[in-house]
Amino acid sequence: MHWNVGRVKITKIVELETVGSTRFILPQASKEEVQNLPWLIPHFATEEGRLKMSIHTLVVETPSRRIVVDTGLGNDKQGRTVPTWNMRNTPFLETMTKAGFPPDSIDTVLCTHLHVDHVGWNTRLERGRWVPTFEKARYLFGQAEYEYWRDHSTEPDKAAIFHDSVKPIMDAGKADLIAGDAPICDEITLIPTPGHSPGHMSVQIRSDGEEGLLTGDVAHHPCQMAHLDWSSTADSDPVQSIKTRGELFARFADSSVLVIGGHYDAGYIEHDGKAFKFALAEDESRLRA
């Protein structure tokens, strides 16, 4: 699945898709509450009110760069709190390669934040050592985000994530620590969006008069657009995450801005005077409206 923003192409590479079993991350999104948002059905939720979500990587191709935004769960990892995220053995890299993106063709890896499901394929296990998956790439970590997890990964699961998916990149000399509002290239600039994590960043794309936004985990699901106060259980600062969601969605509540989430497909943020909602990106002509 892919979308275009001017001369920038964005391709989604799926690692894992789920239907339901999402209350652990969004406890307020009950079946009844989700059914009260009919615009979510059928693409973002089932008729029964079960949320549809995915863990995926976005490959962003600009005229000069080939960027992987977030890297999912990865294979062979241990110490994860979700049992099915441990010791995975999937053909994700083969899937990327078949889609036209072999790992050695990637020149940049950008992590919106350093949570478990956004850093896993930073590394792969080779002869008992964690080595960079994208050998020719520079990895971009938010400086505030990196420094926070460097100093606060004391719980066993957080320590496992840092030591198998982040620290090996630093040790290999492959990482650059960047500001939350840093420009990446002519078409791409970062936006600081803290709350879900201390140094969370979103990605703004501008090309040929068109605009896109990769939100990362500002919202895990479009239902949070209608209910800004539905913070994720993974949010480090729920109060700040609510504030950030409101500010970001208000800024981009324009049908000409293509929005792609860290766990949901592309669409357009709309506002009906009462609440935000999300319209599936079925017609790219809206980009040029």
Side-chain angles (χ1 to χ4, degrees):
M1 184 176 292
H2 70 268
W3 305 272
N4 294 295
V5 177
R7 294 185 295 162
V8 176
K9 182 179 179 181
I10 306 153
T11 303
K12 184 177 81 166
I13 310 292
V14 174
E15 183 177 19
L16 177 67
E17 292 181 308
T18 63
V19 177
S21 301
T22 55
R23 293 289 295 278
F24 80 98
I25 197 76
L26 291 172
Q28 293 164 293
S30 67
K31 292 179 181 179
E32 295 75 19
E33 290 286 358
V34 171
Q35 287 175 321
N36 286 332
L37 302 172
W39 50 271
L40 290 175
I41 301 167
H43 192 79
F44 300 108
T46 67
E47 294 281 353
E48 297 76 28
R50 302 173 74 203
L51 300 183
K52 297 180 179 181
M53 297 175 66
S54 65
I55 294 175
H56 55 252
T57 283
L58 298 172
V59 181
V60 180
E61 297 174 273
T62 78
S64 62
R65 305 284 282 275
R66 181 172 273 196
I67 305 168
V68 163
V69 177
D70 293 332
T71 65
L73 293 165
N75 280 355
D76 302 307
K77 309 291 177 164
Q78 299 185 56
R80 280 37 177 169
T81 55
V82 178
T84 56
W85 293 358
N86 287 286
M87 297 303 294
R88 291 176 59 80
N89 181 18
T90 70
F92 181 75
L93 294 181
E94 290 84 349
T95 300
M96 280 192 69
T97 299
K98 288 179 181 178
F101 308 111
D104 63 2
S105 73
I106 304 301
D107 56 62
T108 308
V109 176
L110 169 62
C111 294
T112 60
H113 59 300
L114 300 181
H115 282 178
V116 57
D117 51 336
H118 294 260
V119 299
W121 279 108
N122 283 356
T123 60
R124 56 185 174 82
L125 193 60
E126 184 177 276
R127 299 177 184 176
R129 294 178 57 248
W130 294 108
V131 300
T133 300
F134 305 97
E135 296 178 304
K136 296 182 179 180
R138 297 300 300 176
Y139 286 69
L140 307 182
F141 300 151
Q143 182 164 357
E145 182 80 357
Y146 172 78
E147 291 177 352
Y148 178 85
W149 293 112
R150 179 197 62 194
D151 298 339
H152 293 86
S153 292
T154 53
E155 299 173 17
D157 62 317
K158 304 298 190 299
I161 296 160
F162 188 82
H163 286 284
D164 63 34
S165 298
V166 179
K167 188 174 184 292
I169 303 302
M170 298 297 294
D171 291 346
K174 293 282 189 180
D176 297 318
L177 301 182
I178 58 175
D181 59 354
I184 304 303
C185 59
D186 289 345
E187 299 83 6
I188 297 176
T189 303
L190 300 178
I191 302 173
T193 47
H196 177 61
S197 68
H200 190 285
M201 307 176 295
S202 297
V203 182
Q204 187 172 12
I205 302 169
R206 294 191 181 102
S207 176
D208 289 350
E210 298 176 5
E211 193 167 8
L213 177 70
L214 313 183
T215 64
D217 280 359
V218 170
H220 278 75
H221 190 274
C223 68
Q224 291 176 275
M225 298 179 189
H227 294 279
L228 297 177
D229 60 327
W230 286 5
S231 289
S232 160
T233 56
D235 287 350
S236 63
D237 186 340
V239 173
Q240 179 61 55
S241 74
I242 292 169
K243 182 174 184 287
T244 295
R245 269 192 296 282
E247 291 175 348
L248 190 70
F249 296 160
R251 177 176 172 181
F252 291 98
D254 182 332
S255 62
S256 67
V257 179
L258 184 74
V259 177
I260 307 175
H263 300 285
Y264 56 87
D265 282 349
Y268 304 92
I269 300 172
E270 299 179 348
H271 195 277
D272 62 7
K274 296 180 181 179
F276 296 101
K277 66 177 183 178
F278 198 63
L280 179 64
E282 295 178 321
D283 180 4
E284 284 196 3
S285 67
R286 293 181 63 171
L287 283 169
R288 301 164 179 83

